[in-house]
Amino acid sequence: MAGARRRLVETLRERGIRDLAVLRAFDLTPRHLFVPSGVRHHAYEDAPLPIGSGQTISQPSIHARYLELLQLKGTERVLEIGTGSGYQTVLLSHLVAQIFTIERIPALYNQARENIARAGAKNVSMLLGDGTVGWREYSPYDAILVSAGGPTIPQPLIDQLAEGGRMIVPIGGLDQQTLKLVVRRGADVQIEDVAPVRFVPLFGTYGWEQQT
Ligand code: SAM
Protein backbone atom coordinates (compact mmCIF):
# COMPACT_ATOMS: atom_id res chain seq x y z
CA MET A 1 0.00 0.00 0.00
CA ALA A 2 3.08 2.31 0.16
CA GLY A 3 2.59 3.41 -3.49
CA ALA A 4 -1.08 4.26 -2.90
CA ARG A 5 -0.09 6.20 0.20
CA ARG A 6 2.51 8.22 -1.75
CA ARG A 7 -0.17 9.10 -4.32
CA LEU A 8 -2.46 10.29 -1.51
CA VAL A 9 0.38 12.52 -0.24
CA GLU A 10 0.76 13.92 -3.79
CA THR A 11 -3.00 14.63 -3.91
CA LEU A 12 -2.76 16.47 -0.57
CA ARG A 13 0.15 18.53 -1.92
CA GLU A 14 -1.90 19.39 -5.04
CA ARG A 15 -4.77 20.44 -2.76
CA GLY A 16 -2.52 23.00 -1.10
CA ILE A 17 -1.16 21.20 1.98
CA ARG A 18 2.37 22.57 2.54
CA ASP A 19 3.33 21.50 6.10
CA LEU A 20 6.01 18.84 5.55
CA ALA A 21 5.47 17.24 8.97
CA VAL A 22 1.75 16.82 8.18
CA LEU A 23 2.52 15.29 4.76
CA ARG A 24 5.02 12.92 6.39
CA ALA A 25 2.40 11.81 8.95
CA PHE A 26 0.10 10.79 6.05
CA ASP A 27 2.96 8.91 4.45
CA LEU A 28 3.54 6.98 7.69
CA THR A 29 -0.07 6.13 8.54
CA PRO A 30 -1.72 3.08 6.88
CA ARG A 31 -5.32 4.33 6.37
CA HIS A 32 -6.40 0.93 4.99
CA LEU A 33 -6.04 -0.53 8.50
CA PHE A 34 -8.61 1.93 9.89
CA VAL A 35 -11.55 1.24 7.55
CA PRO A 36 -13.82 -1.82 7.24
CA SER A 37 -12.61 -4.47 4.73
CA GLY A 38 -15.56 -3.74 2.36
CA VAL A 39 -14.28 -0.21 1.61
CA ARG A 40 -10.55 -0.90 1.95
CA HIS A 41 -9.96 -0.49 -1.80
CA HIS A 42 -11.05 3.17 -1.41
CA ALA A 43 -8.74 3.80 1.57
CA TYR A 44 -6.29 6.07 -0.29
CA GLU A 45 -8.87 8.17 -2.11
CA ASP A 46 -9.46 11.68 -0.81
CA ALA A 47 -12.94 10.73 0.37
CA PRO A 48 -14.82 10.14 3.65
CA LEU A 49 -15.59 6.47 4.39
CA PRO A 50 -18.01 4.66 6.75
CA ILE A 51 -16.41 3.14 9.88
CA GLY A 52 -19.53 1.51 11.43
CA SER A 53 -22.02 2.63 14.11
CA GLY A 54 -23.32 5.26 11.62
CA GLN A 55 -20.02 7.21 11.79
CA THR A 56 -17.45 8.20 9.16
CA ILE A 57 -13.73 8.74 8.86
CA SER A 58 -13.24 12.21 7.34
CA GLN A 59 -11.71 13.00 3.97
CA PRO A 60 -7.86 13.01 4.29
CA SER A 61 -7.60 16.61 2.97
CA ILE A 62 -9.93 17.72 5.81
CA HIS A 63 -7.71 15.99 8.38
CA ALA A 64 -4.69 17.63 6.77
CA ARG A 65 -6.20 21.15 6.91
CA TYR A 66 -7.19 20.59 10.54
CA LEU A 67 -3.66 19.55 11.42
CA GLU A 68 -2.08 22.47 9.53
CA LEU A 69 -4.36 24.96 11.31
CA LEU A 70 -3.08 23.78 14.68
CA GLN A 71 0.50 24.86 13.74
CA LEU A 72 2.02 21.96 15.68
CA LYS A 73 5.71 21.94 16.64
CA GLY A 74 6.04 18.43 18.07
CA THR A 75 6.04 19.21 21.81
CA GLU A 76 2.29 19.59 22.35
CA ARG A 77 -0.21 17.75 24.53
CA VAL A 78 -3.36 17.42 22.47
CA LEU A 79 -6.96 16.52 23.31
CA GLU A 80 -9.00 14.88 20.54
CA ILE A 81 -12.80 14.57 20.81
CA GLY A 82 -14.23 11.77 18.64
CA THR A 83 -11.60 9.04 18.22
CA GLY A 84 -13.70 7.27 15.57
CA SER A 85 -11.42 4.75 13.86
CA GLY A 86 -8.27 6.16 15.48
CA TYR A 87 -6.80 7.24 12.10
CA GLN A 88 -6.48 10.94 12.99
CA THR A 89 -5.15 9.91 16.42
CA VAL A 90 -2.30 8.04 14.73
CA LEU A 91 -1.63 10.96 12.35
CA LEU A 92 -1.34 13.11 15.49
CA SER A 93 0.96 10.58 17.16
CA HIS A 94 3.59 11.49 14.51
CA LEU A 95 3.12 15.23 15.08
CA VAL A 96 2.89 15.87 18.84
CA ALA A 97 4.25 14.61 22.18
CA GLN A 98 1.08 13.20 23.77
CA ILE A 99 -2.52 12.65 22.70
CA PHE A 100 -5.58 12.23 24.91
CA THR A 101 -8.54 11.00 22.88
CA ILE A 102 -12.20 10.45 23.83
CA GLU A 103 -14.87 8.40 22.02
CA ARG A 104 -18.48 7.92 23.19
CA ILE A 105 -19.45 4.76 21.22
CA PRO A 106 -18.08 1.57 22.87
CA ALA A 107 -17.78 -0.45 19.61
CA LEU A 108 -15.72 2.31 17.95
CA TYR A 109 -13.65 2.84 21.09
CA ASN A 110 -12.71 -0.87 21.19
CA GLN A 111 -11.94 -1.01 17.45
CA ALA A 112 -9.87 2.19 17.65
CA ARG A 113 -7.89 0.78 20.59
CA GLU A 114 -6.92 -2.21 18.41
CA ASN A 115 -6.18 -0.01 15.37
CA ILE A 116 -3.96 2.36 17.35
CA ALA A 117 -2.04 -0.53 18.96
CA ARG A 118 -1.57 -2.20 15.55
CA ALA A 119 -0.19 1.07 14.14
CA GLY A 120 2.36 1.05 16.98
CA ALA A 121 1.45 4.47 18.46
CA LYS A 122 2.73 4.65 22.05
CA ASN A 123 1.89 8.26 23.00
CA VAL A 124 -1.93 7.87 23.10
CA SER A 125 -4.25 7.75 26.14
CA MET A 126 -7.86 6.77 25.46
CA LEU A 127 -11.13 7.37 27.30
CA LEU A 128 -14.63 6.04 26.66
CA GLY A 129 -17.10 8.82 27.50
CA ASP A 130 -18.52 12.23 26.72
CA GLY A 131 -15.80 14.41 25.19
CA THR A 132 -17.86 17.62 25.47
CA VAL A 133 -16.82 17.79 29.15
CA GLY A 134 -13.16 17.35 28.15
CA TRP A 135 -10.61 15.41 30.23
CA ARG A 136 -9.84 17.77 33.10
CA GLU A 137 -7.32 15.48 34.80
CA TYR A 138 -4.66 16.03 32.10
CA SER A 139 -5.54 19.64 31.16
CA PRO A 140 -4.45 22.20 30.05
CA TYR A 141 -3.98 21.19 26.39
CA ASP A 142 -1.90 23.03 23.79
CA ALA A 143 -4.38 22.01 21.13
CA ILE A 144 -7.89 20.54 21.02
CA LEU A 145 -9.46 18.94 17.93
CA VAL A 146 -13.18 18.29 17.89
CA SER A 147 -14.13 15.85 15.11
CA ALA A 148 -17.93 16.17 15.40
CA GLY A 149 -20.23 19.18 14.98
CA GLY A 150 -22.01 20.78 17.96
CA PRO A 151 -24.51 23.62 18.48
CA THR A 152 -22.10 25.78 20.55
CA ILE A 153 -18.46 25.64 21.62
CA PRO A 154 -18.35 23.48 24.79
CA GLN A 155 -17.24 25.76 27.66
CA PRO A 156 -15.23 22.99 29.44
CA LEU A 157 -13.05 22.68 26.31
CA ILE A 158 -12.32 26.44 26.32
CA ASP A 159 -11.49 26.15 30.04
CA GLN A 160 -9.08 23.25 29.36
CA LEU A 161 -7.13 25.10 26.63
CA ALA A 162 -3.64 26.25 27.64
CA GLU A 163 -2.47 29.87 27.32
CA GLY A 164 -1.88 30.38 23.57
CA GLY A 165 -3.61 27.05 22.91
CA ARG A 166 -5.56 26.47 19.67
CA MET A 167 -8.82 24.56 19.25
CA ILE A 168 -10.66 23.66 16.07
CA VAL A 169 -14.31 22.78 16.36
CA PRO A 170 -17.21 22.59 13.87
CA ILE A 171 -20.20 24.61 15.16
CA GLY A 172 -23.66 25.04 13.62
CA GLY A 173 -26.61 22.85 12.68
CA LEU A 174 -26.93 19.09 12.47
CA ASP A 175 -26.29 19.04 8.70
CA GLN A 176 -23.85 21.89 8.15
CA GLN A 177 -21.41 23.72 10.39
CA THR A 178 -18.68 26.37 10.31
CA LEU A 179 -15.21 25.28 11.33
CA LYS A 180 -14.13 27.62 14.15
CA LEU A 181 -10.55 28.29 15.23
CA VAL A 182 -10.43 29.25 18.92
CA VAL A 183 -7.25 30.75 20.39
CA ARG A 184 -6.88 31.45 24.10
CA ARG A 185 -4.89 34.58 25.08
CA GLY A 186 -5.08 35.11 28.85
CA ALA A 187 -8.67 35.88 29.77
CA ASP A 188 -9.35 36.63 26.10
CA VAL A 189 -10.73 34.00 23.71
CA GLN A 190 -10.41 34.77 19.98
CA ILE A 191 -12.78 32.94 17.65
CA GLU A 192 -12.33 32.92 13.87
CA ASP A 193 -14.54 31.31 11.19
CA VAL A 194 -12.43 29.11 8.91
CA ALA A 195 -14.68 27.29 6.44
CA PRO A 196 -18.08 25.65 5.98
CA VAL A 197 -17.87 21.94 6.89
CA ARG A 198 -20.09 18.91 7.34
CA PHE A 199 -19.45 16.63 10.31
CA VAL A 200 -21.44 13.98 12.20
CA PRO A 201 -23.18 15.35 15.35
CA LEU A 202 -21.36 16.01 18.60
CA PHE A 203 -23.64 14.45 21.22
CA GLY A 204 -23.27 15.03 24.95
CA THR A 205 -23.76 17.38 27.89
CA TYR A 206 -22.39 20.38 25.93
CA GLY A 207 -23.42 19.05 22.51
CA TRP A 208 -26.64 17.80 20.95
CA GLU A 209 -28.98 15.82 23.15
CA GLN A 210 -28.05 12.14 22.98
CA GLN A 211 -30.30 9.89 20.92
CA THR A 212 -31.86 6.98 22.80
N1 SAM B 1 -11.32 11.49 13.18
C1 SAM B 1 -11.95 10.18 13.28
C2 SAM B 1 -11.17 9.16 12.49
O1 SAM B 1 -10.04 9.46 12.10
O2 SAM B 1 -11.69 8.05 12.30
C3 SAM B 1 -13.39 10.23 12.81
C4 SAM B 1 -14.25 10.96 13.77
S1 SAM B 1 -15.97 10.86 13.37
C5 SAM B 1 -16.11 12.08 12.10
C6 SAM B 1 -16.67 11.66 14.80
C7 SAM B 1 -16.64 10.82 16.05
O3 SAM B 1 -17.07 11.63 17.14
C8 SAM B 1 -17.58 9.62 16.03
O4 SAM B 1 -16.85 8.45 16.25
C9 SAM B 1 -18.57 9.91 17.16
O5 SAM B 1 -19.01 8.75 17.83
C10 SAM B 1 -17.72 10.78 18.06
N2 SAM B 1 -18.46 11.61 19.02
C11 SAM B 1 -19.61 12.33 18.88
N3 SAM B 1 -19.93 12.95 20.02
C12 SAM B 1 -18.95 12.65 20.92
C13 SAM B 1 -18.71 12.98 22.29
N4 SAM B 1 -19.52 13.79 23.01
N5 SAM B 1 -17.62 12.47 22.89
C14 SAM B 1 -16.76 11.67 22.24
N6 SAM B 1 -16.93 11.30 20.94
C15 SAM B 1 -18.01 11.78 20.29
Side-chain angles (χ1 to χ4, degrees):
M1 292 287 187
R5 216 149 53 228
R6 283 277 140 78
R7 284 194 292 282
L8 173 61
V9 171
E10 270 320 301
T11 304
L12 295 177
R13 231 191 273 272
E14 283 162 20
R15 300 208 165 154
I17 304 303
R18 293 284 170 266
D19 186 322
L20 293 180
V22 169
L23 291 168
R24 177 174 170 273
F26 279 88
D27 202 19
L28 292 173
T29 308
R31 193 172 188 245
H32 65 281
L33 298 183
F34 294 82
V35 297
S37 51
V39 294
R40 206 155 274 171
H41 52 293
H42 294 300
Y44 293 101
E45 294 169 12
D46 189 24
L49 292 172
I51 53 171
S53 305
Q55 304 300 314
T56 49
I57 182 172
S58 306
Q59 197 176 336
S61 54
I62 296 279
H63 284 303
R65 270 185 225 299
Y66 251 57
L67 294 169
E68 269 198 338
L69 278 169
L70 290 176
Q71 301 178 351
L72 300 167
K73 294 180 176 57
T75 53
E76 294 85 357
R77 294 154 44 79
V78 176
L79 177 67
E80 179 189 48
I81 312 302
T83 319
S85 67
Y87 176 64
Q88 182 176 259
T89 320
V90 173
L91 290 172
L92 276 166
S93 76
H94 296 295
L95 290 165
V96 303
Q98 185 73 36
I99 304 126
F100 300 86
T101 185
I102 309 176
E103 172 56 54
R104 64 180 280 274
I105 299 178
L108 290 179
Y109 171 85
N110 291 327
Q111 184 62 57
R113 179 174 280 292
E114 273 181 37
N115 293 344
I116 291 167
R118 195 161 8 132
K122 300 273 189 279
N123 52 351
V124 177
S125 303
M126 298 183 68
L127 181 70
L128 175 65
D130 175 10
T132 67
V133 299
W135 195 344
R136 194 166 296 279
E137 192 182 349
Y138 297 105
S139 66
Y141 302 98
D142 304 302
I144 300 180
L145 282 93
V146 185
S147 298
T152 54
I153 304 173
Q155 186 61 42
L157 299 184
I158 296 177
D159 297 342
Q160 292 174 35
L161 205 53
E163 168 62 28
R166 296 164 80 83
M167 165 161 63
I168 39 180
V169 53
I171 297 299
L174 282 166
D175 292 329
Q176 174 104 31
Q177 308 88 29
T178 302
L179 188 65
K180 307 265 182 189
L181 172 64
V182 180
V183 183
R184 185 173 189 157
R185 303 229 179 270
D188 222 37
V189 177
Q190 299 167 356
I191 302 173
E192 186 188 316
D193 288 358
V194 178
V197 286
R198 206 176 163 163
F199 276 82
V200 296
L202 178 73
F203 291 113
T205 309
Y206 294 87
W208 299 103
E209 205 170 305
Q210 300 207 6
Q211 289 168 332
T212 46

